[in-house]
Amino acid sequence: MSEEITPELFARLVELAALELTPEEAEYLRRELNRQLDAIHQLEATPIPEGTPITSHGVPYPRERRAPLRDDRWQPYPNRDALLAQAPETDPEGYVVVPDIPHETLE
Amino acid sequence: MTELWQLSALDIARLVRRGEVSAREVTQAVLDHIARVDGAPGRLLEPGQDPAAVHAAEPGVHAFITLTADRALAQADAVDAALARGEDPGPLAGVPFTVKDIFTVEGTPSTAGSRILANFVAPYTATAVARLEQAGAVMLGKVNLDEFTFGSSNESSAFQPSPRNPWDLNRVPGGSSGGSAAAVAAYEGALSVGTDTAGSIRQPAAFCGVVGLKPTYGRVSRYGLIAFASSMDTPGPLTRTAADAALALQIMAGADPHDATAVTLPVPDYLAELEKGVRGLRIGLSPDYFRITRVDPATGEWHTEEVRPEIRAAVEAVAQALADLGAEIVPDVPMPHTRDAIPAYFVISRVEAASNLHRYDGVKYGYRTPDPVADLREMYRKTRGQGFGLQPKLRILMGMYVSAAQYSERYYERALRVRTLIRRDFEAIFDPQGPYRLDALLAPPTPTPAFPVGAVYGDSVLMQYADQLTVAANHAGVPAIAIPAGFDGQGLPLAAQFFAPEFREDILLRLAHAFEQATADAAWRARRPGIVG
């Protein structure tokens, strides 16, 4: 197994992904990432003819198959309170409450 | 005597519409049957609680996360009331169905099989589900799945015990639409709505001995589908017969103002198409679909493993049956990029998954950590760390790595170009001016029958290779179907798979229906899972 994802690189990815991991989780995830990368490197053995375009959707979308985009219009949801009730914390005015947002004061 | 819970969707709708049986009677019969066979529903277990022990204490199929019996009976009563008023209750009148818990259904918990959405109650209903309900179908509840659909066995769900295979409760039902396939196989509803991103409808359908149809990307709206890989996710039906799949697709398919990728092409009358037969259709067989080919990471050498002999034999028997009906079998069709489909999928699906999963942050809905936190960033980290299971975490991390600016060309862009080559394999065999001119490709959907619980889970590479024979259709966007094709020596279902050109689901359904009719009297067709009784 390769060590492409080193402990340092792994820690950076975890930070960017905003994930707090237990040591057992971290060990499993780093090992599986490296094993998957071994499988992914197989793609380098496949010749790609010069000029091969990328495919981002399997099926092409010519204009005649597409619905025109909707008007960009505001539509009120009929039950505002039910939506807000899904939020983990709200205040009496209906604002969603979150912990302090980290910030630094610029000189 | 045939019990009401055993009936197909087509038969139920016919009887209900004629007033020979009420929607409430059918719904109650299926609910009673579910109470007999499903055992403990999937739920978030307490720390230290063992899913195997819960299964042993309340054995069953465990298809459901949320059973909505009252809602179902109210819907059934509405169908009966419409009939009593002389109104048309719709083509699916009184047909009980289940929904993979990756779709939103207004007022129901819509969990994605994840702790992070365990308390989320959907404020709107997915288009595919809404259309079935508007057609008179009765939703029984939400069925289990791999967490966020990330798996091929259902074992990754945060809701345990995860579903079991009705044919052998010690084996997995496949995944990620494992609850859907298990429910349909165990007669817990005539149909289920699943999703297929790499094979998540077809592989569990194959493992559970039911019909699973992945439509063309864009044929069915994704509105209300909690997203995994947005360029590949495809909703579709799981049923016990091809005709029921035709009926369900007929209702689910079509343009939707809420999904710009749902195409405006007219929806054919799939039920009428079924009767056209298969005479003259050109059906290909490809050696590339009878083996798993990959590079051995230890040696760097290519390694090839044939599919199990009984799987090859089952597919060849399907080819023979279709040849007997007048189809033309075309051997030795090359599909050279089949072997690249999983490595490319490892990259593309992870990039899209990571992007889609960034929205779960504990702010507006879903799980938020109860732990004290210093600031917002710590809240994010703890919420996502506690809310996501291992498989979402693995996909987020891989997606971020292979799409990072400095690695993207090496990984993501290369994978998207290989995707073009995979698509060209299909274009070449279906080209009406090309050397093969196929109407469909016939292949096994899985390299093995259903594997035992615990046999693969944890090995994320081996689990992904369970989709090796299905995932190319998702890269290419083309439709494909898995159908029952007999049983192996251990009594496990065997299956066959057809691929067709884009938007030619009609051909898939004709082939599936013709094979079903041709084998209607075969002894294996009469088998039922033991738990069903």
Side-chain angles (χ1 to χ4, degrees):
Chain A
M1 188 180 79
S2 71
E3 277 283 314
E4 186 168 337
I5 307 286
T6 61
E8 296 71 32
L9 179 54
F10 181 76
R12 177 76 184 130
L13 288 171
V14 170
E15 170 68 21
L16 289 172
L19 292 171
E20 187 175 282
L21 303 177
T22 64
E24 297 76 33
E25 285 182 313
E27 188 194 338
Y28 170 82
L29 292 168
R30 194 170 78 83
R31 183 181 71 233
E32 292 301 307
L33 285 174
N34 280 317
R35 293 184 65 236
Q36 292 186 2
L37 281 165
D38 283 342
I40 289 168
H41 283 296
Q42 182 187 308
L43 290 176
E44 287 155 23
T46 292
I48 302 176
E50 186 72 28
T52 301
I54 64 165
T55 291
S56 51
H57 281 86
V59 177
Y61 277 102
R63 189 165 291 280
E64 62 271 18
R65 277 185 193 170
R66 280 180 308 192
L69 293 178
R70 278 175 294 152
D71 291 341
D72 188 9
R73 261 209 317 261
W74 177 73
Q75 292 179 324
Y77 181 74
N79 192 350
R80 189 193 81 137
D81 291 344
L83 280 187
L84 278 176
Q86 303 261 358
E89 192 180 350
T90 52
D91 74 3
E93 289 177 79
Y95 287 100
V96 174
V97 177
V98 296
D100 277 347
I101 297 171
H103 63 277
E104 32 188 301
T105 308
L106 296 175
E107 296 301 321
Chain B
M1 197 192 100
T2 305
E3 305 281 348
L4 289 177
W5 51 264
Q6 295 174 317
L7 295 175
S8 70
L10 208 56
D11 284 341
I12 292 168
R14 194 178 290 139
L15 291 172
V16 169
R17 289 167 60 85
R18 283 192 201 139
E20 292 178 30
V21 62
S22 71
R24 175 173 267 266
E25 285 172 290
V26 175
T27 303
Q28 192 60 60
V30 176
L31 289 171
D32 292 345
H33 176 70
I34 291 168
R36 281 195 297 274
V37 302
D38 207 53
R43 64 231 199 227
L44 298 178
L45 300 183
E46 301 300 323
Q49 218 181 342
D50 177 16
V54 180
H55 170 71
E58 290 181 76
V61 178
H62 313 307
F64 282 86
I65 290 178
T66 307
L67 184 68
T68 52
D70 292 342
R71 189 178 187 281
L73 289 168
Q75 280 185 337
D77 288 344
V79 168
D80 291 331
L83 270 166
R85 291 192 301 268
E87 295 166 11
D88 183 348
L92 286 172
V95 173
F97 75 106
T98 58
V99 176
K100 183 180 185 179
D101 206 11
I102 197 73
F103 290 96
T104 57
V105 176
E106 188 174 356
T108 71
S110 298
T111 70
S114 181
R115 183 177 291 273
I116 211 159
L117 284 176
N119 62 358
F120 175 64
V121 176
Y124 64 97
T125 299
T127 298
V129 178
R131 286 184 177 166
L132 293 171
E133 292 191 324
Q134 281 155 13
V138 171
M139 195 198 73
L140 300 166
K142 311 293 285 294
V143 288
N144 214 333
L145 68 159
D146 279 292
E147 185 175 1
F148 281 101
T149 81
F150 301 156
S152 306
S153 71
N154 260 246
E155 293 160 285
S156 68
S157 177
F159 291 76
Q160 296 286 339
S162 58
R164 301 299 181 101
N165 193 310
W167 296 95
D168 178 349
L169 295 182
N170 295 315
R171 290 178 186 264
V172 301
S176 65
S177 308
S180 292
V184 171
Y187 294 79
E188 300 176 78
L191 70 97
S192 188
V193 186
T195 62
D196 191 314
T197 306
S200 277
I201 287 174
R202 291 162 285 157
Q203 186 257 14
F207 277 13
C208 292
V210 301
V211 175
L213 173 60
K214 181 206 98 72
T216 310
Y217 182 85
R219 183 70 290 184
V220 177
S221 167
R222 289 179 294 117
Y223 181 66
L225 163 57
I226 298 170
F228 163 16
S230 303
S231 78
M232 302 187 195
D233 293 342
T234 315
L238 295 97
T239 57
R240 289 187 295 271
T241 67
D244 280 2
L247 182 63
L249 182 63
Q250 185 84 50
I251 306 295
M252 292 162 65
D256 177 9
H258 289 114
D259 177 3
T261 62
V263 299
T264 55
L265 291 176
V267 179
D269 184 343
Y270 294 114
L271 274 176
E273 293 290 328
L274 281 186
E275 305 303 333
K276 286 191 176 167
V278 298
R279 182 164 298 281
L281 290 182
R282 288 171 60 82
I283 314 296
L285 287 169
S286 172
D288 296 309
Y289 270 92
F290 287 89
R291 58 192 180 213
I292 303 293
T293 305
R294 53 178 168 147
V295 169
D296 181 341
T299 63
E301 302 287 319
W302 286 99
H303 174 77
T304 295
E305 198 175 332
E306 299 294 316
V307 300
R308 298 255 189 102
E310 66 266 42
I311 288 196
R312 170 182 287 276
V315 174
E316 286 172 352
V318 173
Q320 187 57 53
L322 294 170
D324 292 345
L325 294 169
E328 191 179 341
I329 304 300
V330 182
D332 296 325
V333 174
M335 295 293 285
H337 295 95
T338 305
R339 70 184 192 189
D340 298 319
I342 288 289
Y345 182 77
F346 262 132
V347 176
I348 298 168
S349 68
R350 272 50 173 181
V351 172
E352 297 185 20
S355 170
N356 281 321
L357 292 174
H358 285 320
R359 72 188 60 162
Y360 303 105
D361 57 8
V363 172
K364 296 192 289 296
Y365 56 87
Y367 177 84
R368 181 189 287 188
T369 180
D371 297 350
V373 294
D375 62 23
L376 185 64
R377 276 192 206 141
E378 191 182 4
M379 190 279 279
Y380 289 156
R381 285 196 298 269
K382 282 188 182 293
T383 292
R384 288 162 61 84
Q386 295 161 9
F388 285 131
L390 282 170
Q391 299 310 316
K393 287 170 180 159
L394 190 49
R395 280 152 182 82
I396 292 167
L397 293 167
M398 180 62 89
M400 294 183 69
Y401 177 64
V402 296
S403 63
Q406 62 271 48
Y407 308 114
S408 175
E409 189 176 337
R410 181 174 180 199
Y411 293 117
Y412 187 45
E413 288 183 29
R414 176 182 288 272
L416 291 174
R417 288 184 216 288
V418 170
R419 188 176 183 181
T420 302
L421 304 179
I422 295 167
R423 162 108 186 145
R424 284 180 182 166
D425 280 358
F426 285 99
E427 286 174 343
I429 64 167
F430 294 139
D431 180 357
Q433 271 78 51
Y436 298 102
R437 304 181 306 285
L438 297 184
D439 296 293
L441 181 72
L442 168 61
T446 61
T448 67
F451 43 83
V453 172
V456 179
Y457 186 61
D459 183 335
S460 68
V461 175
L462 190 58
M463 188 67 86
Q464 191 67 79
Y465 269 91
D467 297 327
Q468 159 98 35
L469 303 178
T470 47
V471 65
N474 302 80
H475 284 300
V478 299
I481 195 168
I483 59 166
F487 291 85
D488 74 356
Q490 293 180 279
L492 298 172
L494 298 172
Q497 174 179 226
F498 296 104
F499 302 89
E502 57 203 39
F503 301 108
R504 294 310 305 271
E505 289 82 357
D506 57 316
I507 295 176
L508 300 177
L509 292 162
R510 278 164 68 187
L511 289 164
H513 183 67
F515 178 68
E516 229 171 72
Q517 299 294 303
T519 52
D521 297 328
W524 64 266
R525 284 277 181 203
R527 291 202 202 179
R528 300 284 174 266
I531 191 168
V532 167

